[in-house]
Amino acid sequence: MHRRRGPRRKRRGADVTAYTADGRRLVVQCKNFTPYRSVWSGEMQKFVGPKALHRADVAVYVATCPFSREARDIAMQAGITAVHRGLLAAWSAGAKLQVLK
């Protein structure tokens, strides 16, 4: 995976843009929220734009908290993989994300 990260003003709503080993364009949004709150639908909606703007084949929203049901619904409709705290822990321990296989 090749990663590109630039100044905040040039990232256009994405924390990481990259290419997977097989050439797919990847865009990632990362949020470090307290574990007792949730990612809300409005926050997920804001990421739909950067996904389109970067013409991402793979979009991943990583958060240190759960996602509201509405945020998960928007992610599913928009083709965004929502990675919550538990999945993030498994991923960092070596589990593979299905979308990146």
Side-chain angles (χ1 to χ4, degrees):
M1 181 181 308
H2 302 286
R3 184 182 92 150
R4 292 185 182 159
R5 191 164 192 263
R8 188 162 187 80
R9 69 184 178 279
K10 291 186 178 187
R11 289 190 264 156
R12 298 181 176 174
D15 291 321
V16 177
T17 57
Y19 289 92
T20 62
D22 60 1
R24 294 177 293 162
R25 188 183 303 247
L26 170 72
V27 63
V28 181
Q29 177 70 47
C30 303
K31 295 294 182 186
N32 184 13
F33 293 139
T34 58
Y36 58 83
R37 73 157 290 201
S38 294
V39 173
W40 304 316
S41 62
E43 294 164 324
M44 185 61 74
Q45 288 173 25
K46 287 180 186 176
F47 186 53
V48 173
K51 177 186 184 261
L53 184 63
H54 290 282
R55 290 177 259 144
D57 301 307
V58 178
V60 181
Y61 195 115
V62 180
T64 55
C65 64
F67 292 83
S68 71
R69 186 183 57 154
E70 294 84 9
R72 287 192 313 266
D73 289 345
I74 290 166
M76 187 179 302
Q77 291 170 1
I80 297 169
T81 299
V83 179
H84 57 78
R85 185 179 196 92
L87 187 53
L88 180 60
W91 189 18
S92 67
K96 301 259 186 217
L97 276 182
Q98 193 67 28
V99 71
L100 296 178
K101 288 185 178 179

